[in-house]
Amino acid sequence: MPRWNLASVEKAAPDAASLKAAHRLAVPGPWSDTGSSETLVWGKCQGSGRQPYQVSIDLTGPAYRCSCPSRKFPCKHALALLLRWVSGHGEIGAGDPPPFAEPAAERPARTTKPVDPEARARRQAERFALMSAGIGDFSLWLADLVRSGTVQARRQPWGWWDSAAARLVDAQLPGLADRVRTMGSEVSRREDWADHLLSELGRWWSAVRSWERWDDLDERTRADLRAYVGWPQASEDVRAGETLTDAWLVLGAHRTDDGRLLQQRTWLRGEASGEVVQLLDFAAGGNPLPIAHLAGSTLEATLALYPGSRPRRALVVDEPVVRETPAALPAGGSLADGLDALAATVADNAWGGRVPVVLEAAVLPGQVVDAAGAAVPLLADATPWAALALTGGRPTTLVGELERTGFRVLSVGTDTGLVAV
């Protein structure tokens, strides 16, 4: 059974508001009939109604059940119960589960609507024409930027970047739009803004020229370019393509929130195949992200693989089964091994720039230092404190994401397995 901690609970929260409400509820007052077993945690929480809400969590999924009317999963009551359980104060003792703490019922089978192939082909042609027009407009904007110089670009107000991004959104190129909008703040925030901008300009121009040669591209490059500009693949097409069945170890997950879109990136490694894939989930308009898989757990599942270069994106075909015995963590390597893997990824996919790595005997904080003494900085959004609390600063196995500019810790290897941080 993977080990839960405060970071695991925080990663399970659908949004910051739910987590904040859960912290207010994580006190003894409203709770009664609490208990736990190897796989379940349960309790009753008194709300505004006459009857208390019945809450139970299947830790292996995880799967959450609560009798409250909230449409968020997990709700604030389930999160509060987990917060009390991981606090380690002994407030939730061991016992036999009551009837209401039953495992969640199986989900109904997925149903799909028939697709009109002619209408679908017409819609795709119309979108391709719209995107091609947007790419043409973007190439003119890029040429003007380069002609004026990067120093002049840095002096532009944020609205100048946002206006260009809005035109890309109108052309249904949301991936490019996000990168342009983000650059509007990056050029003011980063000390290495000139190198960063020049690097991004190269990738943008490469995307433009590749799009202009769309018919000459191979299938893998087309898939990489689609992912970069934000042209999604239909889920039914992915499920009908290449699949891979394996026992998948959850290496770790990372969430981002840019104020408009929530993204959750979960890394999995196949025990038999050794394949490393990422599950991507998105939520917008105040909707919550799907429940995060717990780092260190092992899911027996069939995954459908998106076309494109490694590390490939995947989606779960059927509901995964959590295996009681976690898969072994793969052997760790050095930072040099990780940088080699990153270089190979960029060589295959010019628009790629992130790989999951397992570092052996690495130490924090401030930067990540491996056993050979090589070091890379932590990324700006990476906080080392949870990892330091687990390791005490001793050399340990770190699982994280390596990018061109640094490292982000996702989980830490302990005597009991991987622990999310």
Side-chain angles (χ1 to χ4, degrees):
M1 171 64 62
R3 177 178 166 187
W4 284 73
N5 61 1
L6 180 59
S8 305
V9 180
E10 291 176 344
K11 285 180 180 289
D15 51 44
S18 297
L19 185 61
K20 185 177 180 180
H23 276 289
R24 289 197 296 267
L25 275 176
V27 292
W31 290 95
S32 61
D33 297 335
T34 57
S36 64
S37 66
E38 284 291 323
T39 58
L40 291 172
V41 181
W42 62 86
K44 293 181 179 179
C45 183
Q46 185 62 56
S48 57
R50 190 164 61 89
Q51 298 294 330
Y53 299 127
Q54 298 176 344
V55 189
S56 67
I57 301 114
D58 182 344
L59 301 170
T60 58
Y64 307 89
R65 299 178 72 239
C66 181
S67 58
C68 77
S70 174
R71 299 179 65 181
K72 293 183 178 179
F73 291 95
C75 67
K76 62 183 180 182
H77 306 104
L79 291 171
L81 183 59
L82 282 174
L83 287 171
R84 296 193 65 216
W85 179 60
V86 302
S87 65
H89 297 325
E91 299 172 344
I92 299 180
D96 296 326
F100 72 82
E102 297 173 349
E106 293 185 0
R107 296 182 180 179
R110 188 189 306 273
T111 58
T112 57
K113 296 180 180 179
V115 177
D116 182 348
E118 292 185 4
R120 183 182 180 190
R122 184 170 61 252
R123 289 195 299 270
Q124 288 185 340
E126 291 172 353
R127 173 161 186 169
F128 188 84
L130 180 63
M131 290 190 294
S132 296
I135 289 288
D137 177 68
F138 185 56
S139 69
L140 296 177
W141 182 83
L142 276 178
D144 287 342
L145 188 157
V146 173
R147 190 178 299 112
S148 302
T150 54
V151 172
Q152 184 63 28
R154 194 192 191 201
R155 292 171 180 165
Q156 296 287 355
W158 186 82
W160 183 76
W161 300 90
D162 188 55
S163 176
R167 292 198 299 274
L168 289 170
V169 170
D170 291 341
Q172 298 192 9
L173 297 161
L176 270 179
D178 283 344
R179 289 171 172 82
V180 171
R181 186 178 284 113
T182 301
M183 184 58 69
S185 57
E186 295 283 279
V187 292
S188 300
R189 183 183 64 83
R190 298 175 65 120
E191 293 183 357
D192 63 340
W193 67 270
D195 292 339
H196 181 64
L197 175 57
L198 191 60
S199 177
E200 280 295 288
L201 288 175
R203 277 189 284 276
W204 295 347
W205 188 250
S206 172
V208 167
R209 298 305 302 269
S210 297
W211 188 275
E212 293 169 349
R213 299 176 56 245
W214 179 267
D215 292 338
D216 299 327
L217 301 179
D218 58 53
E219 290 299 323
R220 181 172 60 85
T221 306
R222 284 185 181 181
D224 293 338
L225 183 55
R226 283 186 66 144
Y228 185 71
V229 302
W231 185 10
Q233 300 264 359
S235 298
E236 58 268 24
D237 289 347
V238 179
R239 288 193 174 90
E242 181 181 357
T243 61
L244 183 59
T245 301
D246 207 334
W248 300 94
L249 173 66
V250 181
L251 296 174
H254 180 65
R255 284 183 174 183
T256 60
D257 181 3
D258 64 2
R260 300 177 303 278
L261 183 69
L262 296 172
Q263 183 188 104
Q264 178 173 274
R265 189 168 55 244
T266 305
W267 294 100
L268 308 177
R269 181 184 185 277
E271 184 180 44
S273 64
E275 185 82 18
V276 177
V277 300
Q278 57 176 328
L279 305 178
L280 288 181
D281 297 299
F282 302 94
N287 294 313
L289 284 165
I291 298 170
H293 296 293
L294 185 64
S297 60
T298 298
L299 314 175
E300 293 182 343
T302 298
L303 303 184
L305 304 179
Y306 282 75
S309 303
R310 288 185 169 83
R312 295 175 70 178
R313 183 184 173 188
L315 59 81
V316 180
V317 175
D318 297 311
E319 190 67 19
V321 176
V322 180
R323 198 173 74 181
E324 290 188 5
T325 306
L329 185 65
S334 64
L335 273 172
D337 297 330
L339 291 170
D340 287 344
L342 181 61
T345 296
V346 175
D348 284 342
N349 177 10
W351 307 290
R354 177 186 301 120
V355 292
V357 296
V358 180
L359 297 179
E360 192 70 34
V363 294
L364 296 166
Q367 57 184 359
V368 178
V369 184
D370 68 6
V376 296
L378 288 175
L379 292 166
D381 61 354
T383 54
W385 312 122
L388 279 173
L390 285 169
T391 65
R394 296 184 295 274
T396 190
T397 301
L398 299 179
V399 179
E401 297 174 331
L402 184 62
E403 300 182 2
R404 291 181 172 91
T405 55
F407 184 81
R408 177 184 298 109
V409 185
L410 301 180
S411 57
V412 173
T414 69
D415 294 339
T416 57
L418 280 179
V419 177
V421 295

